[in-house]
Amino acid sequence: MELERVGWELMPLEGVGPLRFGMGIAEVAAVLSGMTELHRFQADPSFREILGLEFGTGPAEPAVYAYFVEGQLFCVAVDAERGPQVMLWGRELTGCVPADLERFLLHAHYCGVTDVSYGPRGNPGSNGLGLVVRVQQVTDGSVTRPVMVGRSWADRCTDDWEGAIPECEWVGRQWTCAGHSEHWPPPGHTPNWHGWQPPF
């Protein structure tokens, strides 16, 4: 069963759809109508206190990833295929052609609406929006996967080395950017994850 692509509005730094940053685990589970918790996992090798929860409509149908620190929701990622359609200023962010969404973000940047920056692995986003746009490999190629954080965690959120977004969200297919590998970790590189393995 495919998840109906419902619309979720991004309220920068405050929340997305029914989710508000700072919610507890039980509150998040209660407002994700039609979804159940599929999996809990350690989301980052260096910060063991970061708990990841995967929500979906069926065992192999993840839709939303919620990340908690000290029991509070601080980060949300939406699956590119099955997740809700996240909207910002009337523009779709989920499951889009990466180059098209990049043009939208850069237009907002050049018009002075928001600052856009690129992290060390080439992924674009805006600290002022608490938004990073990742890519996810699907059957037909790579499409966009929005990752959002709350106000207290937005500083340097586009920085995949020093920002608050958990390591598991940086693993896998990367944004196509000259001079960067298309995958993290790149072929032949073994990160020092101290026994941690990416959960997906």
Side-chain angles (χ1 to χ4, degrees):
M1 176 176 117
E2 188 174 328
L3 176 72
E4 181 184 342
R5 188 60 67 107
V6 297
W8 278 11
E9 188 69 26
L10 172 59
M11 294 150 289
L13 309 175
E14 302 298 329
V16 57
L19 301 175
R20 298 294 176 270
F21 297 114
M23 278 182 163
I25 294 172
E27 291 175 285
V28 168
V31 299
L32 288 178
S33 178
M35 296 185 209
T36 56
E37 183 185 321
L38 305 179
H39 180 53
R40 288 189 183 207
F41 54 91
Q42 181 187 336
D44 194 289
S46 301
F47 302 97
R48 296 188 177 274
E49 67 274 17
I50 297 178
L51 174 67
L53 272 69
E54 178 184 74
F55 292 90
T57 56
E61 298 174 340
V64 174
Y65 295 83
Y67 298 98
F68 299 83
V69 65
E70 296 180 355
Q72 288 189 313
L73 179 70
F74 78 96
C75 180
V76 175
V78 172
D79 187 86
E81 281 191 295
R82 300 180 185 90
Q85 181 56 261
V86 176
M87 306 288 291
L88 175 67
W89 307 322
R91 176 63 161 88
E92 297 177 348
L93 303 180
T94 310
C96 303
V97 174
D100 292 347
L101 190 51
E102 185 175 31
R103 278 192 291 273
F104 166 77
L105 290 173
L106 290 176
H107 178 74
H109 175 79
Y110 296 138
C111 291
V113 176
T114 190
D115 288 328
V116 173
S117 60
Y118 291 80
R121 298 177 202 168
N123 299 281
S126 169
N127 296 332
L129 299 174
L131 170 69
V132 172
V133 183
R134 293 277 291 110
V135 290
Q136 181 178 323
Q137 192 71 37
V138 297
T139 306
D140 298 330
S142 295
V143 292
T144 56
R145 171 189 180 96
V147 183
M148 299 143 288
V149 295
R151 185 178 312 280
S152 298
W153 302 276
D155 181 47
R156 293 177 292 167
C157 70
T158 59
D159 188 331
D160 41 67
W161 296 114
E162 296 185 3
I165 292 175
E167 179 68 16
C168 67
E169 280 299 330
W170 301 111
V171 174
R173 186 84 166 103
Q174 297 296 303
W175 198 270
T176 301
C177 186
H180 292 81
S181 172
E182 292 186 0
H183 294 274
W184 176 259
H189 177 73
T190 303
N192 185 13
W193 281 335
H194 310 289
W196 177 81
Q197 290 295 316
F200 52 85

